[in-house]
């Protein structure tokens, strides 16, 4: 085989576009990462979505308190996401070093843990402001896909959560410089995260990456799969349903959009898990697929619970489709004006 024939698959494939995960590199330990910026983008879009829904009276809260609601959601996502990651994916490491739980800058946020945090934050806000929980949940469901799309793009920039080894015949398969094979060939194994990123960037500039690239396996870009399924497709499903509801001039029962989101995300995530590289802590020689419950991975197991919750909410809404809308909870009693001290 000639050299040109051997190099043809590498020359024709889509190259992974390396971008420094640090958007702004300040002196010292403080950096601004694309991952954090995408969370900021997601919450900002979510704020405007919820404010729009409140102004249309779909979300039954005063638009002035939407900022407080988003603040509660931010806390729920970060705390729930971190605790979820520790409990679902890294509990042994946490037991060995409990201080790791606060090292959010090292990565490690679980979507399913963040979802639990969002539910708790929404329940707290609903109780505090005397709003129906599922009405708030429907509003959150309409805002979440934008953030999911943004964060999955950040996962792609970080070169994390890449997919399983793919066939060379798949035209969009990519070679990731964060692949264990690539890190070993570049001498980046075991380095701290920032040093590893800088070494990869230098390898791209010097040509060292191009020299070893053909030895790195092609993989599914599963981060992009998740961005398209969990972000774009689920978002189109939800906003298409919202447009249909508005067009018909009706008000669907509370829980329809929350149910659609849970069902859509759970199905999409379960599908993408078939192409996503299993977490290393769940893999071994006897179980290369990293299953934790029968044939299911951890992501599929947690997503199955979301699917069941979504089906329950949709069934609940369907069974109440002819019932009149639930009345607003009574407002808290007003207090008499305080008298100044005499």
């Amino acid at each position: 085989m000639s050299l040109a024939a051997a190099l043809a698959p590498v020359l024709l494939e889509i190259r992974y576009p390396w971008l420094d995960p640090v958007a702004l590199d300040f002196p010292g330990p403080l950096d601004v990462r694309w991952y954090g910026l995408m969370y900021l983008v997601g919450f900002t879009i979510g704020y405007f979505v919820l404010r729009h829904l409140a102004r249309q009276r779909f979300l039954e809260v005063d638009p002035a308190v939407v900022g407080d609601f988003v603040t509660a959601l931010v806390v729920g996502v970060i705390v729930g996401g971190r605790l979820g990651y520790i409990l679902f994916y890294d509990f042994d490491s946490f037991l060995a070093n409990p201080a790791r739980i606060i090292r959010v800058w090292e990565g490690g946020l679980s979507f399913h843990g963040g979802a639990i945090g969002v539910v708790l934050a929404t329940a707290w806000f609903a109780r505090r402001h005397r709003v129906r929980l599922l009405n708030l949940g429907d509003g959150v469901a309409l805002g979440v896909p934008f953030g999911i799309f943004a964060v999955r793009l950040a996962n792609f920039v970080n070169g994390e959560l890449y997919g399983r080894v793919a066939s060379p015949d798949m035209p969009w398969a990519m070679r990731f410089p964060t692949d264990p094979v690539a890190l070993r060939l570049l001498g980046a194994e075991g380095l701290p995260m920032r040093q590893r990123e800088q070494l990869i960037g230098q390898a791209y500039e010097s040509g060292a990456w191009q020299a070893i690239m053909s030895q790195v396996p092609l993989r599914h870009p599963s981060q992009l799969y998740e961005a398209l399924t969990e972000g774009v497709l689920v978002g189109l499903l939800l906003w298409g349903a919202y447009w249909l509801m508005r067009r018909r001039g009706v008000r669907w029962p509370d829980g329809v959009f929350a149910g659609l989101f849970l069902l859509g995300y759970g199905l999409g995530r379960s599908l993408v898990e078939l192409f996503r590289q299993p977490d290393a802590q769940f893999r071994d020689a006897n179980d290369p697929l990293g299953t934790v419950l029968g044939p299911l991975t951890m992501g599929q197991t947690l997503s199955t619970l979301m699917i069941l919750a979504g089906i329950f909410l949709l069934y609940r809404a369907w069974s109440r489709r002819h019932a009149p809308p639930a009345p607003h909870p009574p407002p808290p009693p007003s207090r008499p004006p305080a008298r100044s001290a005499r």
Side-chain angles (χ1 to χ4, degrees):
M1 179 183 295
S2 66
L3 178 61
L7 292 178
V10 177
L11 296 175
L12 295 177
E13 72 189 32
I14 298 176
R15 303 291 182 91
Y16 173 75
W18 172 256
L19 177 67
D20 192 340
V22 173
L24 296 174
D25 193 355
F26 296 112
L30 182 63
D31 295 321
V32 176
R33 292 181 166 268
W34 290 109
Y35 187 71
L37 287 177
M38 290 301 100
Y39 268 97
L40 179 61
V41 168
F43 282 119
T44 300
I45 296 176
Y47 167 80
F48 286 108
V49 168
L50 292 173
R51 191 172 176 86
H52 169 74
L53 295 175
R55 285 175 172 170
Q56 289 195 334
R57 300 306 301 163
F58 173 82
L59 192 64
E60 295 172 352
V61 298
D62 188 332
V65 302
V66 167
D68 296 337
F69 184 32
V70 172
T71 300
L73 294 177
V74 170
V75 175
V77 167
I78 295 176
V79 175
R82 186 58 178 168
L83 290 176
Y85 178 80
I86 294 295
L87 293 174
F88 300 147
Y89 294 97
D90 203 24
F91 192 65
D92 291 340
S93 177
F94 165 71
L95 291 178
N97 184 12
R100 288 197 66 245
I101 196 170
I102 64 173
R103 299 178 185 174
V104 182
W105 58 89
E106 294 182 354
L109 292 176
S110 161
F111 174 85
H112 296 94
I116 295 173
V118 164
V119 171
L120 294 177
T122 303
W124 171 83
F125 189 88
R127 181 179 179 84
R128 181 180 178 86
H129 290 268
R130 298 177 181 267
V131 185
R132 297 193 304 275
L133 173 60
L134 288 179
N135 176 251
L136 287 179
D138 284 341
V140 171
L142 286 164
V144 165
F146 300 99
I148 293 177
F149 179 78
V151 172
R152 291 310 183 194
L153 291 183
N155 293 143
F156 182 72
V157 170
N158 287 346
E160 61 191 1
L161 307 183
Y162 46 70
R164 302 180 186 184
V165 174
S167 167
D169 298 328
M170 196 181 73
W172 57 83
M174 295 183 182
R175 305 176 197 269
F176 289 88
T178 50
D179 188 293
V181 175
L183 294 179
R184 176 174 55 81
L185 294 173
L186 293 173
E189 279 185 315
L191 292 180
M193 180 173 62
R194 186 57 187 148
Q195 293 184 24
R196 184 173 67 243
E197 293 166 350
Q198 291 172 333
L199 191 149
I200 291 174
Q202 294 168 4
Y204 264 75
E205 294 177 357
S206 67
W209 165 246
Q210 287 77 6
I212 60 99
M213 189 174 63
S214 61
Q215 303 176 57
V216 179
L218 288 164
R219 293 186 177 273
H220 290 274
S222 56
Q223 316 96 323
L224 301 183
Y225 297 175
E226 293 194 68
L228 293 175
T229 54
E230 303 161 10
V232 176
L233 291 182
V234 172
L236 289 174
L237 170 66
L238 288 166
W239 283 97
Y242 181 77
W243 174 83
L244 181 62
M245 182 191 71
R246 299 283 294 183
R247 180 181 176 88
R248 291 184 175 181
V250 297
R251 179 66 182 255
W252 292 344
D254 291 344
V256 169
F257 294 93
L260 285 174
F261 171 77
L262 291 172
L263 179 60
Y265 180 91
L267 291 173
R269 175 67 181 269
S270 297
L271 174 63
V272 174
E273 284 280 325
L274 299 175
F275 304 97
R276 178 169 157 172
Q277 178 73 356
D279 296 279
Q281 62 269 37
F282 299 128
R283 299 194 321 265
D284 56 40
N286 297 322
D287 185 14
L289 298 181
T291 57
V292 298
L293 183 64
L296 303 178
T297 64
M298 178 61 78
Q300 289 173 326
T301 301
L302 297 172
S303 294
T304 299
L305 299 178
M306 294 182 69
I307 293 171
L308 295 176
I311 292 173
F312 169 76
L313 289 180
L314 291 174
Y315 173 77
R316 177 184 180 276
W318 176 259
S319 64
R320 301 186 179 193
R321 64 191 183 280
H322 298 307
H328 289 279
S334 58
R335 298 179 180 177
R339 295 183 179 180
S340 58
R342 296 289 182 179

